[in-house]
Amino acid sequence: MGSADAALFPGFDSRRIRTSGAEIACVIGGGGPPLLLLHGYPQTHAMWHRIAPALAERWTVVCTDLRGYGDSSKPEGGERHVNYSKRAMAADQVEVMRALGFDRFRLAGHDRGGRVAHRLCLDHPQAVEQVAVLDISPTRVMYGRTDQAFATAYYHWFFLIQPFDLPERLIGADPVYYLRRKIGSWAGGLAHFDPRALAEYERCFSDPATIHASCEDYRAAASIDLEHDAADAASRIACPLLALWGDKGVVNRLFDPLRDWGSVATDVRGRTLPSGHFLAEEAPDETLAELQAFFGH
């Protein structure tokens, strides 16, 4: 177990689990029914450190690094970015949970992790008991409503999808500056972040392979993921879904998460929390309480 994991996730074990397409790094702690937590961009599983230990008092908590992020492997993007489709990324997570002995589990995803969770619920409905999505609306909905306000606030959606290697070179010139500027702008500054977690984000994002893989993630989201979503337009997430989003964030300002998730899921509830984008780090107590209440049913 790395020193950062030992400090941020006391009592958890670290593992590397090989899937059919990647090798996934994760931490596991607690006992009881399984709960999988998926991080977002440009972070790692460290983003859950303020709530995972408390969740582990009631559940077996698994926090993974998505393929391409953190200490997980970074496969090449493949034709049409297929290896970073949310379908491929979701398959990793199902295989990880099966390797740990869990065929069915609760699931929460923030940001990119929420998009992986959305696809996982569609492709593997039998695996998911309940799902929570943090500070997102569905990808297809958000792209479909793009206007100047959204493009300005989420410029990275359109920057990162540019052909290789324009965004890679520009971010790679000063990745720590880019990361700090990006997460700081979404959170109203860096004071919300534990220095140990921030150091982990910086360490991992400074790897050119991570920068490239994260661009492939977004390239897939603007191409093959939209094709998959269009093909499944008549399908709906069947399990109960909780949407949480920050009252200071772009999603709250420009979208309607309950309505948006209601267009793709059958059983939706949720609300705003006093936070920017990074709910689990900016409003950990409120986020924890909502997840405990939801998953406790």
Side-chain angles (χ1 to χ4, degrees), residues 1-8 14 27 71 200:
M1 189 174 194
S3 59
D5 280 343
L8 294 171
S14 63
V27 294
D71 288 318
E200 276 295 280

Side-chain angles (χ1 to χ4, degrees), residues 12 27-31 33-37 52-57 59-63:
F12 281 59
V27 294
I28 308 154
L35 169 59
L36 174 62
L37 304 179
L55 290 170
E57 295 174 7
W59 292 280
T60 299
V61 175
V62 181
C63 305

